[in-house]
Coordinates of all heavy atoms in Angstrom, one line a residue:
G2 N 135.5 89.0 97.5 CA 135.5 90.1 98.5 C 135.8 91.4 97.9 O 135.7 92.4 98.7
G3 N 136.3 91.6 96.7 CA 136.5 92.9 96.1 C 135.3 93.6 95.8 O 134.2 93.0 95.6
A4 N 135.4 94.9 95.7 CA 134.2 95.8 95.6 C 133.7 95.8 94.2 O 132.5 96.0 93.9 CB 134.5 97.2 96.1
G5 N 134.5 95.7 93.2 CA 134.2 95.9 91.8 C 133.4 94.8 91.2 O 133.7 93.6 91.5
E6 N 132.3 95.1 90.4 CA 131.6 94.0 89.8 C 132.4 93.2 88.8 O 132.1 92.0 88.6 CB 130.4 94.6 89.0 CG 129.3 95.2 89.9 CD 128.2 95.9 89.1 OE1 128.4 97.1 88.7 OE2 127.2 95.3 88.8
A7 N 133.4 93.8 88.2 CA 134.3 93.1 87.3 C 135.4 92.4 88.0 O 136.5 93.0 88.2 CB 134.9 94.1 86.3
A8 N 135.1 91.2 88.5 CA 136.1 90.4 89.2 C 136.7 91.0 90.5 O 137.8 90.7 90.9 CB 137.2 90.0 88.3
G9 N 135.9 92.0 91.1 CA 136.5 92.7 92.3 C 137.5 93.7 91.9 O 138.0 94.4 92.8
L10 N 137.7 94.0 90.6 CA 138.8 94.9 90.2 C 138.3 96.2 89.7 O 139.0 97.2 89.9 CB 139.5 94.2 89.0 CG 140.4 93.0 89.3 CD1 140.7 92.2 88.0 CD2 141.6 93.3 90.0
G11 N 137.1 96.3 89.1 CA 136.7 97.6 88.6 C 135.2 97.5 88.4 O 134.5 96.5 88.7
T12 N 134.6 98.6 87.8 CA 133.2 98.6 87.6 C 132.8 97.9 86.3 O 133.6 97.6 85.4 CB 132.7 100.1 87.5 OG1 133.2 100.6 86.2 CG2 133.2 100.9 88.6
L13 N 131.5 97.6 86.3 CA 130.9 96.9 85.1 C 131.0 97.8 83.9 O 131.3 97.4 82.8 CB 129.5 96.5 85.4 CG 128.8 95.7 84.3 CD1 129.5 94.4 84.0 CD2 127.3 95.5 84.6
D14 N 130.8 99.1 84.1 CA 130.9 100.1 83.0 C 132.3 100.1 82.4 O 132.5 100.2 81.2 CB 130.5 101.5 83.5 CG 129.0 101.7 83.7 OD1 128.3 100.8 83.2 OD2 128.7 102.6 84.4
E15 N 133.3 100.0 83.3 CA 134.7 100.0 82.8 C 135.0 98.8 81.9 O 135.6 98.8 80.9 CB 135.7 100.1 83.9 CG 135.7 101.4 84.7 CD 136.5 101.4 86.0 OE1 136.7 100.3 86.5 OE2 136.9 102.5 86.4
L16 N 134.5 97.6 82.4 CA 134.7 96.4 81.7 C 134.1 96.4 80.3 O 134.7 96.1 79.3 CB 134.2 95.2 82.5 CG 134.2 93.9 81.8 CD1 135.6 93.4 81.7 CD2 133.4 92.8 82.6
L17 N 132.8 96.8 80.3 CA 132.0 96.8 79.0 C 132.6 97.8 78.0 O 132.6 97.5 76.8 CB 130.6 97.0 79.3 CG 129.9 95.9 80.2 CD1 128.4 96.2 80.3 CD2 130.2 94.5 79.8
A18 N 133.0 99.0 78.5 CA 133.5 100.0 77.6 C 134.8 99.5 77.0 O 135.1 99.6 75.8 CB 133.8 101.3 78.4
A19 N 135.7 98.8 77.8 CA 137.0 98.3 77.3 C 136.7 97.1 76.4 O 137.4 97.0 75.3 CB 137.8 97.9 78.5
Y20 N 135.7 96.3 76.7 CA 135.4 95.1 75.8 C 134.9 95.6 74.4 O 135.4 95.1 73.4 CB 134.3 94.3 76.5 CG 133.8 93.2 75.7 CD1 134.6 92.0 75.5 CD2 132.5 93.2 75.1 CE1 134.1 90.9 74.8 CE2 132.0 92.1 74.4 CZ 132.8 91.0 74.2 OH 132.3 89.9 73.5
E21 N 134.0 96.6 74.4 CA 133.5 97.1 73.1 C 134.6 97.8 72.3 O 134.7 97.7 71.1 CB 132.3 97.9 73.3 CG 131.1 97.1 73.8 CD 129.9 98.0 74.1 OE1 129.9 99.2 73.7 OE2 128.8 97.4 74.6
A22 N 135.5 98.6 73.1 CA 136.6 99.3 72.4 C 137.6 98.3 71.8 O 138.3 98.7 70.8 CB 137.3 100.2 73.4
S23 N 137.7 97.1 72.3 CA 138.6 96.1 71.8 C 138.0 95.3 70.7 O 138.6 94.3 70.3 CB 139.1 95.2 73.0 OG 139.8 95.9 73.9
G24 N 136.8 95.6 70.3 CA 136.2 94.9 69.2 C 135.1 93.8 69.6 O 134.7 93.0 68.8
G25 N 134.8 93.9 70.9 CA 133.8 92.9 71.4 C 132.4 93.3 70.9 O 132.1 94.4 70.6
T26 N 131.5 92.3 71.0 CA 130.1 92.5 70.6 C 129.4 93.5 71.5 O 129.6 93.5 72.7 CB 129.3 91.2 70.7 OG1 130.0 90.2 70.0 CG2 127.9 91.3 70.3
P27 N 128.6 94.5 70.9 CA 127.9 95.4 71.8 C 127.0 94.7 72.8 O 126.4 93.7 72.5 CB 127.0 96.2 70.8 CG 127.8 96.1 69.5 CD 128.5 94.8 69.5
V28 N 127.1 95.2 74.0 CA 126.5 94.5 75.2 C 125.1 95.0 75.5 O 124.9 96.2 75.7 CB 127.3 94.6 76.4 CG1 126.7 93.9 77.6 CG2 128.7 94.0 76.1
D29 N 124.1 94.1 75.5 CA 122.7 94.4 75.9 C 122.7 94.1 77.4 O 122.9 93.0 77.8 CB 121.7 93.6 75.2 CG 120.3 93.8 75.6 OD1 120.0 94.0 76.8 OD2 119.4 93.9 74.7
R30 N 122.4 95.1 78.3 CA 122.5 94.9 79.7 C 121.5 93.9 80.2 O 121.8 93.2 81.2 CB 122.3 96.3 80.5 CG 123.4 97.3 80.2 CD 124.8 96.9 80.7 NE 125.8 97.9 80.6 CZ 126.2 98.7 81.6 NH1 125.8 98.5 82.8 NH2 127.1 99.6 81.4
E31 N 120.3 93.8 79.6 CA 119.4 92.9 80.1 C 119.8 91.4 79.8 O 119.6 90.5 80.6 CB 118.0 93.1 79.4 CG 117.3 94.4 80.0 CD 115.9 94.6 79.5 OE1 115.4 93.7 78.7 OE2 115.3 95.6 79.8
V32 N 120.4 91.3 78.6 CA 120.9 89.9 78.2 C 122.1 89.6 79.2 O 122.2 88.4 79.6 CB 121.4 89.9 76.8 CG1 122.1 88.6 76.4 CG2 120.2 90.2 75.8
L33 N 122.9 90.5 79.5 CA 124.0 90.3 80.4 C 123.5 89.9 81.7 O 124.0 88.9 82.4 CB 124.9 91.5 80.5 CG 126.1 91.4 81.5 CD1 127.0 90.3 81.1 CD2 126.8 92.8 81.6
H34 N 122.5 90.5 82.2 CA 121.9 90.2 83.5 C 121.4 88.7 83.5 O 121.6 88.0 84.5 CB 120.8 91.1 83.9 CG 120.1 90.8 85.2 ND1 120.7 91.0 86.4 CD2 118.9 90.1 85.5 CE1 119.9 90.6 87.4 NE2 118.8 90.0 86.9
W35 N 120.8 88.3 82.4 CA 120.3 86.9 82.3 C 121.5 86.0 82.5 O 121.4 85.0 83.2 CB 119.6 86.7 80.9 CG 118.9 85.4 80.8 CD1 117.6 85.1 81.1 CD2 119.5 84.2 80.3 NE1 117.3 83.8 80.8 CE2 118.5 83.2 80.3 CE3 120.7 83.8 79.8 CZ2 118.7 81.9 79.9 CZ3 121.0 82.5 79.4 CH2 119.9 81.5 79.5
W36 N 122.6 86.3 81.8 CA 123.8 85.4 81.9 C 124.4 85.5 83.3 O 125.0 84.5 83.8 CB 124.8 85.8 80.8 CG 124.4 85.2 79.5 CD1 123.8 85.9 78.5 CD2 124.5 83.9 79.1 NE1 123.6 85.0 77.4 CE2 124.0 83.8 77.8 CE3 125.0 82.7 79.7 CZ2 124.0 82.6 77.0 CZ3 125.0 81.5 79.0 CH2 124.4 81.5 77.7
Q37 N 124.3 86.6 84.0 CA 124.7 86.6 85.4 C 123.9 85.7 86.3 O 124.5 85.0 87.2 CB 124.7 88.1 85.9 CG 125.8 89.0 85.3 CD 125.6 90.4 85.6 OE1 124.4 90.9 85.8 NE2 126.7 91.2 85.8
V38 N 122.6 85.7 86.1 CA 121.8 84.8 86.8 C 122.1 83.4 86.5 O 122.3 82.5 87.4 CB 120.3 85.1 86.6 CG1 119.4 84.0 87.2 CG2 119.9 86.5 87.0
L39 N 122.3 83.1 85.2 CA 122.6 81.7 84.8 C 124.0 81.3 85.4 O 124.2 80.2 85.8 CB 122.6 81.6 83.3 CG 122.9 80.1 82.8 CD1 121.9 79.1 83.3 CD2 123.0 80.1 81.3
G40 N 124.9 82.2 85.3 CA 126.3 82.0 85.8 C 126.3 81.6 87.3 O 126.9 80.7 87.8
T41 N 125.5 82.4 88.1 CA 125.4 82.1 89.5 C 124.7 80.8 89.8 O 125.2 80.0 90.6 CB 124.5 83.2 90.2 OG1 125.2 84.5 89.9 CG2 124.4 83.0 91.7
L42 N 123.7 80.5 89.0 CA 123.0 79.2 89.2 C 124.0 78.0 88.7 O 124.1 77.0 89.4 CB 121.8 79.1 88.3 CG 121.0 77.8 88.2 CD1 120.5 77.4 89.6 CD2 119.8 77.9 87.3
R43 N 124.7 78.3 87.6 CA 125.6 77.3 87.2 C 126.7 77.0 88.2 O 127.0 75.8 88.5 CB 126.3 77.8 85.9 CG 127.5 77.0 85.4 CD 128.2 77.7 84.3 NE 129.5 77.2 84.0 CZ 130.5 77.8 83.3 NH1 130.2 79.0 82.9 NH2 131.6 77.3 83.1
W44 N 127.2 78.0 88.9 CA 128.2 77.8 89.9 C 127.6 77.0 91.1 O 128.2 76.1 91.6 CB 128.8 79.1 90.4 CG 129.7 79.0 91.6 CD1 129.6 79.7 92.8 CD2 130.9 78.2 91.7 NE1 130.7 79.3 93.6 CE2 131.4 78.4 93.0 CE3 131.5 77.3 90.8 CZ2 132.6 77.7 93.4 CZ3 132.7 76.6 91.3 CH2 133.2 76.8 92.6

């Protein structure tokens, strides 16, 4: 029920910027969308 795409807490841009700043793999938004579709189907 939270508004933010990142677990209802914040925006997707905030999450991905923090992830990459922490040493995470650079994020391809189209690849991420594919995994969001798969995640929804998986659930």
